[in-house]
Short mmCIF file of all heavy atoms in Angstrom, two decimals:
data_model
loop_
_atom_site.label_atom_id
_atom_site.label_comp_id
_atom_site.label_asym_id
_atom_site.label_seq_id
_atom_site.Cartn_x
_atom_site.Cartn_y
_atom_site.Cartn_z
N MET B 11 -152.05 -155.58 205.84
CA MET B 11 -150.95 -154.94 205.06
C MET B 11 -149.62 -154.86 205.81
O MET B 11 -148.61 -154.61 205.27
CB MET B 11 -151.36 -153.47 204.67
CG MET B 11 -152.56 -153.43 203.74
SD MET B 11 -152.33 -154.48 202.30
CE MET B 11 -153.93 -155.16 202.16
N GLU B 12 -149.68 -155.08 207.15
CA GLU B 12 -148.48 -155.07 207.95
C GLU B 12 -147.50 -156.15 207.46
O GLU B 12 -146.28 -155.94 207.44
CB GLU B 12 -148.79 -155.28 209.41
CG GLU B 12 -147.58 -155.36 210.33
CD GLU B 12 -146.81 -154.07 210.41
OE1 GLU B 12 -147.43 -152.99 210.21
OE2 GLU B 12 -145.62 -154.11 210.69
N GLN B 13 -148.03 -157.30 207.01
CA GLN B 13 -147.14 -158.38 206.52
C GLN B 13 -146.34 -157.96 205.29
O GLN B 13 -145.24 -158.35 205.12
CB GLN B 13 -148.00 -159.61 206.19
CG GLN B 13 -148.52 -160.32 207.40
CD GLN B 13 -149.38 -161.52 207.00
OE1 GLN B 13 -149.78 -161.68 205.89
NE2 GLN B 13 -149.63 -162.37 207.99
N ASP B 14 -146.96 -157.07 204.46
CA ASP B 14 -146.24 -156.60 203.29
C ASP B 14 -145.05 -155.70 203.72
O ASP B 14 -143.99 -155.81 203.12
CB ASP B 14 -147.18 -155.80 202.36
CG ASP B 14 -148.17 -156.70 201.67
OD1 ASP B 14 -147.94 -157.89 201.50
OD2 ASP B 14 -149.23 -156.16 201.25
N HIS B 15 -145.31 -154.88 204.73
CA HIS B 15 -144.22 -154.00 205.22
C HIS B 15 -143.12 -154.92 205.85
O HIS B 15 -141.92 -154.64 205.61
CB HIS B 15 -144.80 -153.06 206.27
CG HIS B 15 -143.76 -152.09 206.76
ND1 HIS B 15 -143.16 -151.16 205.99
CD2 HIS B 15 -143.27 -151.93 208.00
CE1 HIS B 15 -142.28 -150.46 206.70
NE2 HIS B 15 -142.34 -150.90 207.93
N CYS B 16 -143.50 -155.92 206.60
CA CYS B 16 -142.52 -156.83 207.19
C CYS B 16 -141.70 -157.50 206.09
O CYS B 16 -140.47 -157.57 206.18
CB CYS B 16 -143.21 -157.92 208.05
SG CYS B 16 -144.01 -157.32 209.53
N ARG B 17 -142.38 -157.99 205.07
CA ARG B 17 -141.70 -158.66 203.97
C ARG B 17 -140.71 -157.73 203.29
O ARG B 17 -139.57 -158.11 202.97
CB ARG B 17 -142.73 -159.20 202.99
CG ARG B 17 -142.11 -160.13 201.93
CD ARG B 17 -143.14 -160.85 201.10
NE ARG B 17 -143.91 -161.76 201.92
CZ ARG B 17 -145.22 -161.69 202.08
NH1 ARG B 17 -145.95 -160.77 201.51
NH2 ARG B 17 -145.83 -162.60 202.84
N GLU B 18 -141.11 -156.51 203.01
CA GLU B 18 -140.21 -155.52 202.40
C GLU B 18 -138.95 -155.31 203.25
O GLU B 18 -137.83 -155.27 202.69
CB GLU B 18 -140.94 -154.20 202.18
CG GLU B 18 -141.89 -154.14 201.07
CD GLU B 18 -142.60 -152.77 200.98
OE1 GLU B 18 -141.97 -151.74 201.39
OE2 GLU B 18 -143.71 -152.73 200.53
N LEU B 19 -139.14 -155.13 204.52
CA LEU B 19 -138.00 -154.85 205.37
C LEU B 19 -137.08 -156.08 205.48
O LEU B 19 -135.87 -155.96 205.41
CB LEU B 19 -138.45 -154.43 206.77
CG LEU B 19 -139.02 -153.02 206.84
CD1 LEU B 19 -139.56 -152.75 208.25
CD2 LEU B 19 -137.97 -151.98 206.44
N LEU B 20 -137.70 -157.25 205.62
CA LEU B 20 -136.89 -158.46 205.76
C LEU B 20 -136.15 -158.79 204.46
O LEU B 20 -135.08 -159.38 204.43
CB LEU B 20 -137.73 -159.64 206.19
CG LEU B 20 -138.21 -159.56 207.64
CD1 LEU B 20 -139.11 -160.73 207.96
CD2 LEU B 20 -137.04 -159.47 208.60
N ASP B 21 -136.71 -158.35 203.31
CA ASP B 21 -136.00 -158.49 202.02
C ASP B 21 -134.67 -157.72 202.02
O ASP B 21 -133.73 -158.13 201.37
CB ASP B 21 -136.87 -158.04 200.86
CG ASP B 21 -137.97 -159.06 200.49
OD1 ASP B 21 -137.87 -160.25 200.97
OD2 ASP B 21 -138.88 -158.66 199.76
N GLY B 22 -134.64 -156.63 202.77
CA GLY B 22 -133.42 -155.80 202.84
C GLY B 22 -132.49 -156.24 203.95
O GLY B 22 -131.40 -155.73 204.09
N LEU B 23 -132.84 -157.27 204.69
CA LEU B 23 -132.05 -157.70 205.82
C LEU B 23 -130.65 -158.15 205.37
O LEU B 23 -129.64 -157.74 205.95
CB LEU B 23 -132.75 -158.87 206.53
CG LEU B 23 -131.99 -159.49 207.67
CD1 LEU B 23 -131.76 -158.52 208.80
CD2 LEU B 23 -132.75 -160.70 208.23
N LEU B 24 -130.56 -159.02 204.36
CA LEU B 24 -129.27 -159.50 203.90
C LEU B 24 -128.38 -158.35 203.45
O LEU B 24 -127.20 -158.31 203.76
CB LEU B 24 -129.44 -160.50 202.80
CG LEU B 24 -128.15 -161.18 202.28
CD1 LEU B 24 -127.44 -161.88 203.44
CD2 LEU B 24 -128.50 -162.14 201.17
N ALA B 25 -128.96 -157.36 202.79
CA ALA B 25 -128.18 -156.20 202.32
C ALA B 25 -127.63 -155.43 203.52
O ALA B 25 -126.52 -154.96 203.50
CB ALA B 25 -129.03 -155.32 201.43
N CYS B 26 -128.45 -155.35 204.59
CA CYS B 26 -127.94 -154.69 205.80
C CYS B 26 -126.82 -155.46 206.44
O CYS B 26 -125.81 -154.90 206.85
CB CYS B 26 -129.10 -154.51 206.82
SG CYS B 26 -130.28 -153.26 206.34
N ILE B 27 -127.00 -156.80 206.53
CA ILE B 27 -125.96 -157.62 207.13
C ILE B 27 -124.64 -157.53 206.35
O ILE B 27 -123.55 -157.48 206.92
CB ILE B 27 -126.42 -159.09 207.21
CG1 ILE B 27 -127.54 -159.23 208.23
CG2 ILE B 27 -125.29 -159.99 207.53
CD1 ILE B 27 -128.23 -160.59 208.24
N GLU B 28 -124.72 -157.46 205.05
CA GLU B 28 -123.56 -157.43 204.17
C GLU B 28 -123.00 -156.01 203.96
O GLU B 28 -122.01 -155.84 203.28
CB GLU B 28 -123.85 -158.09 202.83
CG GLU B 28 -124.12 -159.58 202.99
CD GLU B 28 -124.39 -160.24 201.70
OE1 GLU B 28 -124.68 -159.56 200.65
OE2 GLU B 28 -124.33 -161.50 201.66
N GLY B 29 -123.69 -155.04 204.59
CA GLY B 29 -123.23 -153.66 204.48
C GLY B 29 -123.49 -153.01 203.12
O GLY B 29 -122.88 -152.02 202.73
N GLU B 30 -124.48 -153.56 202.37
CA GLU B 30 -124.80 -153.05 201.05
C GLU B 30 -126.06 -152.21 200.99
O GLU B 30 -126.38 -151.64 199.98
CB GLU B 30 -124.91 -154.22 200.09
CG GLU B 30 -123.70 -155.02 199.91
CD GLU B 30 -123.87 -156.30 199.05
OE1 GLU B 30 -125.01 -156.57 198.64
OE2 GLU B 30 -122.86 -156.97 198.80
N ALA B 31 -126.72 -152.09 202.13
CA ALA B 31 -128.00 -151.31 202.20
C ALA B 31 -127.68 -149.90 202.70
O ALA B 31 -126.67 -149.67 203.37
CB ALA B 31 -129.00 -152.00 203.06
N SER B 32 -128.58 -149.01 202.43
CA SER B 32 -128.44 -147.65 202.96
C SER B 32 -128.56 -147.65 204.49
O SER B 32 -129.23 -148.55 205.06
CB SER B 32 -129.50 -146.72 202.35
OG SER B 32 -130.76 -147.05 202.85
N ALA B 33 -128.00 -146.65 205.11
CA ALA B 33 -128.08 -146.56 206.55
C ALA B 33 -129.55 -146.34 206.98
O ALA B 33 -129.98 -146.82 208.02
CB ALA B 33 -127.23 -145.40 207.06
N ASP B 34 -130.29 -145.65 206.13
CA ASP B 34 -131.70 -145.39 206.43
C ASP B 34 -132.49 -146.69 206.49
O ASP B 34 -133.33 -146.89 207.37
CB ASP B 34 -132.33 -144.44 205.41
CG ASP B 34 -131.81 -143.02 205.50
OD1 ASP B 34 -131.27 -142.64 206.61
OD2 ASP B 34 -131.99 -142.26 204.52
N LEU B 35 -132.26 -147.58 205.51
CA LEU B 35 -132.95 -148.83 205.48
C LEU B 35 -132.59 -149.67 206.70
O LEU B 35 -133.47 -150.24 207.34
CB LEU B 35 -132.64 -149.64 204.20
CG LEU B 35 -133.20 -151.04 204.13
CD1 LEU B 35 -134.77 -151.04 204.19
CD2 LEU B 35 -132.74 -151.77 202.92
N CYS B 36 -131.34 -149.72 207.04
CA CYS B 36 -130.91 -150.52 208.23
C CYS B 36 -131.50 -149.93 209.52
O CYS B 36 -131.93 -150.71 210.37
CB CYS B 36 -129.39 -150.57 208.29
SG CYS B 36 -128.66 -151.51 206.91
N ALA B 37 -131.55 -148.61 209.62
CA ALA B 37 -132.14 -148.01 210.83
C ALA B 37 -133.64 -148.31 210.88
O ALA B 37 -134.19 -148.59 211.96
CB ALA B 37 -131.88 -146.51 210.78
N GLU B 38 -134.29 -148.25 209.76
CA GLU B 38 -135.73 -148.58 209.71
C GLU B 38 -135.97 -150.03 210.10
O GLU B 38 -136.91 -150.35 210.86
CB GLU B 38 -136.32 -148.28 208.31
CG GLU B 38 -137.82 -148.53 208.25
CD GLU B 38 -138.40 -148.25 206.88
OE1 GLU B 38 -137.66 -147.79 205.94
OE2 GLU B 38 -139.60 -148.47 206.71
N LEU B 39 -135.14 -150.88 209.64
CA LEU B 39 -135.24 -152.30 209.98
C LEU B 39 -135.04 -152.50 211.48
O LEU B 39 -135.78 -153.24 212.15
CB LEU B 39 -134.21 -153.13 209.22
CG LEU B 39 -134.20 -154.64 209.46
CD1 LEU B 39 -135.55 -155.26 209.14
CD2 LEU B 39 -133.12 -155.31 208.65
N GLU B 40 -134.04 -151.83 212.07
CA GLU B 40 -133.84 -151.94 213.52
C GLU B 40 -135.01 -151.44 214.31
O GLU B 40 -135.42 -152.03 215.31
CB GLU B 40 -132.60 -151.20 213.92
CG GLU B 40 -131.26 -151.87 213.49
CD GLU B 40 -131.08 -153.23 214.12
OE1 GLU B 40 -131.46 -153.43 215.29
OE2 GLU B 40 -130.51 -154.12 213.45
N ARG B 41 -135.60 -150.31 213.86
CA ARG B 41 -136.79 -149.77 214.57
C ARG B 41 -137.94 -150.79 214.49
O ARG B 41 -138.65 -151.04 215.43
CB ARG B 41 -137.20 -148.45 213.96
CG ARG B 41 -136.38 -147.28 214.38
CD ARG B 41 -136.99 -145.95 213.95
NE ARG B 41 -137.15 -145.85 212.51
CZ ARG B 41 -136.21 -145.40 211.69
NH1 ARG B 41 -135.03 -145.04 212.16
NH2 ARG B 41 -136.44 -145.31 210.40
N HIS B 42 -138.10 -151.35 213.31
CA HIS B 42 -139.14 -152.33 213.10
C HIS B 42 -138.98 -153.53 213.97
O HIS B 42 -139.94 -154.04 214.58
CB HIS B 42 -139.24 -152.74 211.62
CG HIS B 42 -140.31 -153.74 211.32
ND1 HIS B 42 -141.67 -153.39 211.23
CD2 HIS B 42 -140.26 -155.08 211.09
CE1 HIS B 42 -142.38 -154.46 210.99
NE2 HIS B 42 -141.53 -155.50 210.91
N LEU B 43 -137.76 -154.04 214.07
CA LEU B 43 -137.47 -155.22 214.88
C LEU B 43 -137.73 -154.95 216.37
O LEU B 43 -138.14 -155.84 217.13
CB LEU B 43 -136.02 -155.67 214.69
CG LEU B 43 -135.71 -156.27 213.33
CD1 LEU B 43 -134.20 -156.53 213.24
CD2 LEU B 43 -136.49 -157.48 213.07
N ALA B 44 -137.59 -153.70 216.80
CA ALA B 44 -137.86 -153.35 218.18
C ALA B 44 -139.34 -153.46 218.52
O ALA B 44 -139.74 -153.61 219.68
CB ALA B 44 -137.34 -151.95 218.49
N GLU B 45 -140.17 -153.33 217.45
CA GLU B 45 -141.63 -153.30 217.65
C GLU B 45 -142.34 -154.58 217.19
O GLU B 45 -143.46 -154.83 217.61
CB GLU B 45 -142.24 -152.11 216.91
CG GLU B 45 -141.71 -150.76 217.38
CD GLU B 45 -142.17 -149.67 216.52
OE1 GLU B 45 -142.86 -149.90 215.55
OE2 GLU B 45 -141.78 -148.52 216.82
N CYS B 46 -141.70 -155.36 216.32
CA CYS B 46 -142.38 -156.52 215.71
C CYS B 46 -141.78 -157.79 216.19
O CYS B 46 -140.68 -158.20 215.76
CB CYS B 46 -142.33 -156.38 214.22
SG CYS B 46 -143.22 -157.72 213.32
N GLY B 47 -142.45 -158.48 217.08
CA GLY B 47 -141.95 -159.75 217.62
C GLY B 47 -141.81 -160.83 216.57
O GLY B 47 -140.86 -161.61 216.63
N ASP B 48 -142.70 -160.86 215.58
CA ASP B 48 -142.61 -161.90 214.52
C ASP B 48 -141.35 -161.76 213.72
O ASP B 48 -140.64 -162.74 213.48
CB ASP B 48 -143.83 -161.82 213.63
CG ASP B 48 -145.11 -162.30 214.31
OD1 ASP B 48 -145.05 -162.96 215.35
OD2 ASP B 48 -146.21 -161.92 213.81
N CYS B 49 -141.04 -160.54 213.33
CA CYS B 49 -139.81 -160.30 212.54
C CYS B 49 -138.57 -160.54 213.39
O CYS B 49 -137.59 -161.03 212.89
CB CYS B 49 -139.84 -158.90 211.96
SG CYS B 49 -140.98 -158.71 210.61
N ARG B 50 -138.64 -160.19 214.64
CA ARG B 50 -137.51 -160.40 215.55
C ARG B 50 -137.21 -161.89 215.67
O ARG B 50 -136.04 -162.30 215.65
CB ARG B 50 -137.80 -159.81 216.93
CG ARG B 50 -136.59 -159.57 217.75
CD ARG B 50 -136.82 -158.72 219.00
NE ARG B 50 -138.06 -158.91 219.67
CZ ARG B 50 -139.12 -158.05 219.65
NH1 ARG B 50 -139.02 -156.94 218.98
NH2 ARG B 50 -140.23 -158.30 220.30
N VAL B 51 -138.23 -162.74 215.74
CA VAL B 51 -138.02 -164.19 215.75
C VAL B 51 -137.32 -164.64 214.48
O VAL B 51 -136.40 -165.44 214.52
CB VAL B 51 -139.36 -164.92 215.98
CG1 VAL B 51 -139.22 -166.40 215.73
CG2 VAL B 51 -139.91 -164.68 217.38
N VAL B 52 -137.78 -164.14 213.35
CA VAL B 52 -137.18 -164.51 212.07
C VAL B 52 -135.69 -164.15 212.05
O VAL B 52 -134.83 -164.97 211.67
CB VAL B 52 -137.93 -163.87 210.88
CG1 VAL B 52 -137.16 -164.02 209.59
CG2 VAL B 52 -139.31 -164.42 210.75
N VAL B 53 -135.39 -162.91 212.46
CA VAL B 53 -134.02 -162.44 212.44
C VAL B 53 -133.16 -163.21 213.45
O VAL B 53 -132.05 -163.57 213.12
CB VAL B 53 -133.97 -160.90 212.67
CG1 VAL B 53 -132.54 -160.40 212.84
CG2 VAL B 53 -134.64 -160.19 211.48
N ASP B 54 -133.69 -163.41 214.66
CA ASP B 54 -132.95 -164.17 215.65
C ASP B 54 -132.63 -165.59 215.19
O ASP B 54 -131.54 -166.13 215.39
CB ASP B 54 -133.69 -164.20 216.97
CG ASP B 54 -133.69 -162.84 217.65
OD1 ASP B 54 -132.89 -161.97 217.28
OD2 ASP B 54 -134.51 -162.69 218.60
N THR B 55 -133.61 -166.18 214.53
CA THR B 55 -133.44 -167.57 214.00
C THR B 55 -132.35 -167.56 212.92
O THR B 55 -131.46 -168.43 212.86
CB THR B 55 -134.75 -168.14 213.46
OG1 THR B 55 -135.70 -168.12 214.54
CG2 THR B 55 -134.56 -169.53 212.88
N LEU B 56 -132.39 -166.58 212.05
CA LEU B 56 -131.38 -166.45 210.98
C LEU B 56 -129.99 -166.26 211.56
O LEU B 56 -129.04 -166.89 211.13
CB LEU B 56 -131.73 -165.30 210.03
CG LEU B 56 -130.76 -165.03 208.91
CD1 LEU B 56 -130.63 -166.26 208.01
CD2 LEU B 56 -131.20 -163.83 208.10
N ARG B 57 -129.89 -165.38 212.55
CA ARG B 57 -128.59 -165.14 213.21
C ARG B 57 -128.06 -166.42 213.85
O ARG B 57 -126.88 -166.74 213.73
CB ARG B 57 -128.70 -164.05 214.25
CG ARG B 57 -128.82 -162.64 213.67
CD ARG B 57 -128.93 -161.61 214.72
NE ARG B 57 -128.98 -160.28 214.15
CZ ARG B 57 -129.64 -159.26 214.62
NH1 ARG B 57 -130.31 -159.38 215.75
NH2 ARG B 57 -129.67 -158.10 214.02
N GLN B 58 -128.93 -167.18 214.48
CA GLN B 58 -128.50 -168.42 215.13
C GLN B 58 -128.06 -169.42 214.06
O GLN B 58 -127.08 -170.13 214.26
CB GLN B 58 -129.66 -168.98 215.98
CG GLN B 58 -129.31 -170.30 216.64
CD GLN B 58 -128.24 -170.17 217.74
OE1 GLN B 58 -127.86 -169.08 218.15
NE2 GLN B 58 -127.77 -171.25 218.21
N THR B 59 -128.79 -169.49 212.95
CA THR B 59 -128.44 -170.41 211.88
C THR B 59 -127.05 -170.05 211.31
O THR B 59 -126.22 -170.96 211.08
CB THR B 59 -129.52 -170.36 210.74
OG1 THR B 59 -130.76 -170.72 211.29
CG2 THR B 59 -129.17 -171.26 209.61
N ILE B 60 -126.81 -168.78 211.11
CA ILE B 60 -125.51 -168.34 210.61
C ILE B 60 -124.40 -168.68 211.58
O ILE B 60 -123.34 -169.18 211.21
CB ILE B 60 -125.53 -166.84 210.28
CG1 ILE B 60 -126.44 -166.57 209.09
CG2 ILE B 60 -124.11 -166.32 210.05
CD1 ILE B 60 -126.75 -165.09 208.83
N ARG B 61 -124.64 -168.43 212.86
CA ARG B 61 -123.64 -168.74 213.87
C ARG B 61 -123.34 -170.25 213.91
O ARG B 61 -122.17 -170.66 213.94
CB ARG B 61 -124.15 -168.26 215.24
CG ARG B 61 -123.12 -168.41 216.33
CD ARG B 61 -123.52 -167.78 217.67
NE ARG B 61 -124.93 -167.68 218.00
CZ ARG B 61 -125.68 -166.56 217.91
NH1 ARG B 61 -125.14 -165.43 217.50
NH2 ARG B 61 -126.97 -166.58 218.19
N LEU B 62 -124.38 -171.05 213.85
CA LEU B 62 -124.13 -172.52 213.83
C LEU B 62 -123.41 -172.96 212.60
O LEU B 62 -122.50 -173.80 212.65
CB LEU B 62 -125.49 -173.24 213.95
CG LEU B 62 -126.21 -173.13 215.29
CD1 LEU B 62 -127.62 -173.72 215.15
CD2 LEU B 62 -125.44 -173.83 216.39
N TYR B 63 -123.76 -172.42 211.47
CA TYR B 63 -123.09 -172.75 210.21
C TYR B 63 -121.62 -172.42 210.24
O TYR B 63 -120.75 -173.19 209.81
CB TYR B 63 -123.78 -172.06 209.04
CG TYR B 63 -123.07 -172.28 207.73
CD1 TYR B 63 -123.21 -173.46 207.05
CD2 TYR B 63 -122.28 -171.27 207.19
CE1 TYR B 63 -122.56 -173.66 205.82
CE2 TYR B 63 -121.59 -171.50 205.99
CZ TYR B 63 -121.74 -172.67 205.30
OH TYR B 63 -121.10 -172.88 204.13
N ARG B 64 -121.31 -171.24 210.76
CA ARG B 64 -119.90 -170.79 210.84
C ARG B 64 -119.06 -171.66 211.79
O ARG B 64 -117.85 -171.74 211.62
CB ARG B 64 -119.83 -169.35 211.22
CG ARG B 64 -120.27 -168.43 210.10
CD ARG B 64 -120.17 -166.97 210.49
NE ARG B 64 -120.51 -166.16 209.36
CZ ARG B 64 -120.87 -164.88 209.43
NH1 ARG B 64 -120.93 -164.30 210.64
NH2 ARG B 64 -121.19 -164.21 208.34
N ASN B 65 -119.71 -172.29 212.75
CA ASN B 65 -118.99 -173.10 213.71
C ASN B 65 -118.81 -174.55 213.27
O ASN B 65 -118.10 -175.32 213.91
CB ASN B 65 -119.72 -173.09 215.07
CG ASN B 65 -119.52 -171.76 215.77
OD1 ASN B 65 -118.53 -171.07 215.60
ND2 ASN B 65 -120.54 -171.36 216.55
N LEU B 66 -119.42 -174.91 212.14
CA LEU B 66 -119.25 -176.27 211.61
C LEU B 66 -117.89 -176.42 210.97
O LEU B 66 -117.35 -175.48 210.38
CB LEU B 66 -120.31 -176.54 210.54
CG LEU B 66 -121.74 -176.73 211.01
CD1 LEU B 66 -122.66 -176.87 209.79
CD2 LEU B 66 -121.85 -178.00 211.86
N PRO B 67 -117.33 -177.61 211.04
CA PRO B 67 -116.07 -177.83 210.29
C PRO B 67 -116.35 -177.81 208.81
O PRO B 67 -117.46 -178.10 208.40
CB PRO B 67 -115.62 -179.21 210.78
CG PRO B 67 -116.89 -179.89 211.23
CD PRO B 67 -117.77 -178.79 211.74
N PRO B 68 -115.36 -177.46 208.03
CA PRO B 68 -115.58 -177.45 206.55
C PRO B 68 -115.91 -178.85 206.08
O PRO B 68 -115.42 -179.85 206.62
CB PRO B 68 -114.27 -176.97 205.99
CG PRO B 68 -113.27 -177.01 207.07
CD PRO B 68 -114.00 -177.08 208.37
N PRO B 69 -116.74 -178.96 205.10
CA PRO B 69 -117.10 -180.32 204.59
C PRO B 69 -115.93 -180.95 203.96
O PRO B 69 -115.04 -180.32 203.39
CB PRO B 69 -118.22 -180.00 203.57
CG PRO B 69 -118.02 -178.59 203.17
CD PRO B 69 -117.43 -177.90 204.36
N ALA B 70 -115.85 -182.26 204.05
CA ALA B 70 -114.77 -183.05 203.46
C ALA B 70 -114.95 -183.02 201.95
O ALA B 70 -116.07 -183.21 201.47
CB ALA B 70 -114.78 -184.46 203.99
N PHE B 71 -113.88 -182.84 201.26
CA PHE B 71 -113.91 -182.90 199.79
C PHE B 71 -113.55 -184.33 199.38
O PHE B 71 -112.46 -184.80 199.69
CB PHE B 71 -112.88 -181.88 199.24
CG PHE B 71 -113.07 -181.54 197.81
CD1 PHE B 71 -114.24 -180.92 197.39
CD2 PHE B 71 -112.09 -181.78 196.88
CE1 PHE B 71 -114.38 -180.57 196.05
CE2 PHE B 71 -112.26 -181.44 195.55
CZ PHE B 71 -113.41 -180.85 195.13
N PRO B 72 -114.49 -185.03 198.79
CA PRO B 72 -114.23 -186.46 198.46
C PRO B 72 -112.96 -186.61 197.64
O PRO B 72 -112.66 -185.83 196.70
CB PRO B 72 -115.46 -186.86 197.66
CG PRO B 72 -116.51 -185.83 198.02
CD PRO B 72 -115.78 -184.61 198.32
N PHE B 73 -112.22 -187.62 197.95
CA PHE B 73 -110.94 -187.93 197.27
C PHE B 73 -111.15 -188.01 195.76
O PHE B 73 -110.34 -187.47 194.96
CB PHE B 73 -110.29 -189.17 197.85
CG PHE B 73 -109.04 -189.56 197.16
CD1 PHE B 73 -107.85 -188.86 197.45
CD2 PHE B 73 -109.00 -190.56 196.19
CE1 PHE B 73 -106.68 -189.19 196.84
CE2 PHE B 73 -107.82 -190.88 195.57
CZ PHE B 73 -106.65 -190.20 195.87
N GLU B 74 -112.17 -188.74 195.33
CA GLU B 74 -112.42 -188.93 193.94
C GLU B 74 -112.65 -187.61 193.21
O GLU B 74 -112.18 -187.36 192.13
CB GLU B 74 -113.62 -189.86 193.69
CG GLU B 74 -113.41 -191.28 194.21
CD GLU B 74 -113.70 -191.42 195.68
OE1 GLU B 74 -114.33 -190.50 196.29
OE2 GLU B 74 -113.25 -192.43 196.25
N ALA B 75 -113.37 -186.72 193.83
CA ALA B 75 -113.68 -185.43 193.23
C ALA B 75 -112.38 -184.60 193.16
O ALA B 75 -112.13 -183.93 192.16
CB ALA B 75 -114.71 -184.70 194.06
N ARG B 76 -111.55 -184.65 194.18
CA ARG B 76 -110.26 -183.96 194.19
C ARG B 76 -109.39 -184.51 193.02
O ARG B 76 -108.76 -183.68 192.33
CB ARG B 76 -109.59 -184.15 195.53
CG ARG B 76 -108.44 -183.25 195.75
CD ARG B 76 -107.86 -183.32 197.14
NE ARG B 76 -108.80 -183.79 198.11
CZ ARG B 76 -108.49 -184.64 199.06
NH1 ARG B 76 -107.27 -185.09 199.22
NH2 ARG B 76 -109.42 -185.06 199.93
N GLU B 77 -109.35 -185.80 192.87
CA GLU B 77 -108.54 -186.36 191.79
C GLU B 77 -109.05 -185.92 190.43
O GLU B 77 -108.24 -185.56 189.55
CB GLU B 77 -108.55 -187.92 191.88
CG GLU B 77 -107.71 -188.45 193.00
CD GLU B 77 -106.26 -188.10 192.84
OE1 GLU B 77 -105.72 -188.30 191.73
OE2 GLU B 77 -105.62 -187.59 193.83
N ARG B 78 -110.35 -185.91 190.21
CA ARG B 78 -110.92 -185.48 188.92
C ARG B 78 -110.55 -184.02 188.70
O ARG B 78 -110.24 -183.61 187.58
CB ARG B 78 -112.42 -185.65 188.89
CG ARG B 78 -112.82 -187.11 188.70
CD ARG B 78 -114.33 -187.27 188.30
NE ARG B 78 -115.19 -186.49 189.17
CZ ARG B 78 -115.85 -186.98 190.21
NH1 ARG B 78 -115.72 -188.24 190.57
NH2 ARG B 78 -116.62 -186.23 190.93
N LEU B 79 -110.63 -183.21 189.74
CA LEU B 79 -110.28 -181.77 189.62
C LEU B 79 -108.80 -181.63 189.19
O LEU B 79 -108.49 -180.88 188.29
CB LEU B 79 -110.56 -181.06 190.92
CG LEU B 79 -110.23 -179.58 190.95
CD1 LEU B 79 -111.02 -178.79 189.93
CD2 LEU B 79 -110.45 -179.02 192.35
N TYR B 80 -107.95 -182.33 189.88
CA TYR B 80 -106.50 -182.25 189.57
C TYR B 80 -106.25 -182.67 188.12
O TYR B 80 -105.40 -182.09 187.44
CB TYR B 80 -105.67 -183.03 190.55
CG TYR B 80 -105.58 -182.46 191.92
CD1 TYR B 80 -105.54 -183.28 193.03
CD2 TYR B 80 -105.59 -181.09 192.13
CE1 TYR B 80 -105.46 -182.76 194.34
CE2 TYR B 80 -105.48 -180.53 193.41
CZ TYR B 80 -105.42 -181.41 194.48
OH TYR B 80 -105.35 -180.86 195.73
N GLN B 81 -106.88 -183.76 187.69
CA GLN B 81 -106.70 -184.26 186.32
C GLN B 81 -107.17 -183.27 185.28
O GLN B 81 -106.56 -183.15 184.20
CB GLN B 81 -107.40 -185.59 186.17
CG GLN B 81 -106.72 -186.70 186.88
CD GLN B 81 -107.50 -188.02 186.82
OE1 GLN B 81 -108.53 -188.09 186.12
NE2 GLN B 81 -107.00 -189.02 187.50
N SER B 82 -108.25 -182.55 185.59
CA SER B 82 -108.77 -181.61 184.61
C SER B 82 -107.95 -180.33 184.54
O SER B 82 -107.97 -179.60 183.55
CB SER B 82 -110.23 -181.27 184.91
OG SER B 82 -110.35 -180.52 186.13
N LEU B 83 -107.22 -180.04 185.62
CA LEU B 83 -106.34 -178.86 185.64
C LEU B 83 -105.08 -179.17 184.88
O LEU B 83 -104.40 -178.50 184.26
CB LEU B 83 -106.03 -178.42 187.04
CG LEU B 83 -107.24 -177.91 187.85
CD1 LEU B 83 -106.80 -177.60 189.26
CD2 LEU B 83 -107.81 -176.66 187.21
#
């Protein structure tokens, strides 16, 4: 049943990151991460993925798509 508790808390992770969750939920998540290595790995991996994504250059917008957009406007 521990996996169900982990899943519930991790479901609230995005809300905590975006500042949309209650302080109680975020504090509970932090306490859980201090004790649960599996969840800590998931969260650390997610943080690393976000950091890598933010450091990527923006994708190139294909010229043809830009032209179609301008024509439709």
Side-chain angles (χ1 to χ4, degrees):
M11 295 309 138
E12 178 65 26
Q13 289 178 346
D14 290 337
H15 184 63
C16 292
R17 189 170 294 120
E18 282 179 30
L19 288 175
L20 290 177
D21 283 346
L23 177 63
L24 184 58
C26 287
I27 290 172
E28 293 180 345
E30 297 174 356
S32 70
D34 290 341
L35 174 61
C36 294
E38 184 179 356
L39 181 60
E40 287 298 326
R41 282 190 300 274
H42 180 76
L43 291 175
E45 299 172 359
C46 182
D48 291 340
C49 287
R50 199 168 37 253
V51 167
V52 169
V53 171
D54 289 345
T55 301
L56 178 61
R57 285 180 178 149
Q58 180 68 11
T59 301
I60 291 169
R61 186 173 27 258
L62 291 171
Y63 175 78
R64 287 182 177 161
N65 288 329
L66 287 174
F71 197 61
F73 178 77
E74 296 82 17
R76 192 174 337 139
E77 285 298 312
R78 285 194 312 264
L79 178 62
Y80 288 146
Q81 290 175 3
S82 67
L83 294 175

